[in-house]
Amino acid sequence: MRIQRARQTGQRCGNSKRDELIPRDIDAHGFRCDAVVPDGHDRTARAGIDEVQNDEERDENKYKAQPEGGASRHAGDALCTVDDHIACLVQVQRKRVLQRNMEAGRISADIEGIEQVFDDLTKGQRYDGKIVAAQAQDRADRQELTDPDSFTMILLGDPQGYTKYDINQPLFDLCTAWIADNVDHLNIKAVLCTGDLVEQNENIVLNRKMLNQTSREMWEAASHALARLDGKVPYIVSPGNHDYGYRKAENSRTCFPDYFPFERNPAWRDVCVATYPNRNGDISLENAAFAFDDPAWGGLLVVTTEFLPRDEVLDWAAALIDKPEYRDRKVIFMTHAFLHERSAKRIEKNSYELTPGNTGAEIWRKLIEPSPNIRMVVCGHTGKPGDYEDAVAYRVDKNRAGHDVHQMMFNVQILGGGWEGNGGDGWIRILEFLPDGRTVRVMTYSPLFALSPTTRQHAWLTEEGNQFTFEFRQR
């Protein structure tokens, strides 16, 4: 057995700069390995191992020195020689057994210690496999449910302002990282996104007055941010006008199905219950339905649609929500463009080349008003630089069955400095569904401001249009 003191970085235990003793060629537990003796114990280890080795070498030399022809000289000498021979063998074997037991015990203890270190490090492992501190982060503004039996859905307003500038993209990452961190803590069932993931769907010529990323770079940024949610929670997107055509819905071309195929997020598998082909005849999540269940709320169904949904898409949605298995579910309908900011008037005019399609007013008349189980509408799209009220809208109307239909618009892209600002100051909406089965609490919150004790007092928008409560009332 050889003793070596570790001096290279890769041989140090825990990358310590202190020297270590490494007994080599030890046969312990049936494998050969280098056992590391931690610094501070090397004197004891060296003395013990040296003593064992010296004794073993002395006994082996003594054994080898015995005269092989002693029996032919004298019978007494032969008998003595045999006795000495056996005694030497016994002594050597005893010392070898003792050595193995000592080293096996030391290695067993070292292995247990190393396994404990790896267990501790694994608890501090990041999503990318890198090791971080095992202790939990001391968050500046940890959010709590108002009732532990509630569940939430998180609403992301149009993120195009984040993805069109490379310097803004980390803010979108922060939003989705915060959501991923709170999936269990806030019992998040789904993430709803109002669309316009990019500023331009397919363009490589950079207009420096409004972006510094190509379309591919913007799609990759959106995909990277939402990848934090893959396998953790279903996210549901209503593609917007900027997600189609070349710059803004000149035609039906879209990269959305390429970056967000069904297979990428395992969390979709158990909740996606229906899809309808997009304008190009492809099956994608542009027109899709997702079912959720809750003991207090019963069944919920979220239906999302393409930008300016065609008549056949509205017909598909109407037939779907009227099926026996979904007829008694509360339906949340999502589409990109539906309400104007502040006034909450429904959009009546289509100013885009993409046709055919239905505006907000037509969607209300053809689908929402006649459907007794659509109880909520979520959209984005509109807004202008100004006050926070210029980025939101809310109204409630009764459908033909006499039930309230709550309609909200949320578009963060003009917050945080206007059209060419930081993309939205990290604002998201937390929709808390209380366990009474009818009340929804709406909160507008920024993980960006909440992350630091210095700015956490700015982490909430409390104006009437940003913090409110509504109920799913029956007629």
Side-chain angles (χ1 to χ4, degrees), residues 397-446:
D397 299 278
K398 293 190 181 297
N399 58 24
R400 290 181 187 170
H403 303 319
D404 288 342
V405 181
H406 302 275
Q407 305 143 71
M408 69 171 71
M409 188 278 290
F410 183 60
N411 181 7
V412 302
Q413 65 172 307
I414 51 97
L415 303 178
W419 299 118
E420 311 312 319
N422 68 20
D425 271 348
W427 294 111
I428 64 175
R429 274 200 169 164
I430 304 172
L431 310 181
E432 181 179 358
F433 292 72
L434 298 178
D436 61 3
R438 64 176 185 276
T439 304
V440 178
R441 183 170 176 253
V442 179
M443 298 157 283
T444 305
Y445 172 76
S446 171

Side-chain angles (χ1 to χ4, degrees), residues 272-301:
C272 184
V273 296
T275 60
Y276 188 82
N278 66 9
R279 292 176 182 269
N280 302 318
D282 300 323
I283 293 293
S284 80
L285 296 176
E286 295 163 70
N287 301 304
F290 304 81
F292 302 92
D293 295 290
D294 179 78
W297 283 78
L300 292 170
L301 189 70

Side-chain angles (χ1 to χ4, degrees), residues 43-62:
R43 289 187 179 180
T44 303
R46 180 179 289 281
I49 294 172
D50 286 347
E51 181 180 352
V52 170
Q53 285 186 317
N54 291 337
D55 288 347
E56 181 180 346
E57 291 173 0
R58 183 176 62 251
D59 291 336
E60 287 181 345
N61 291 335
K62 183 177 179 180

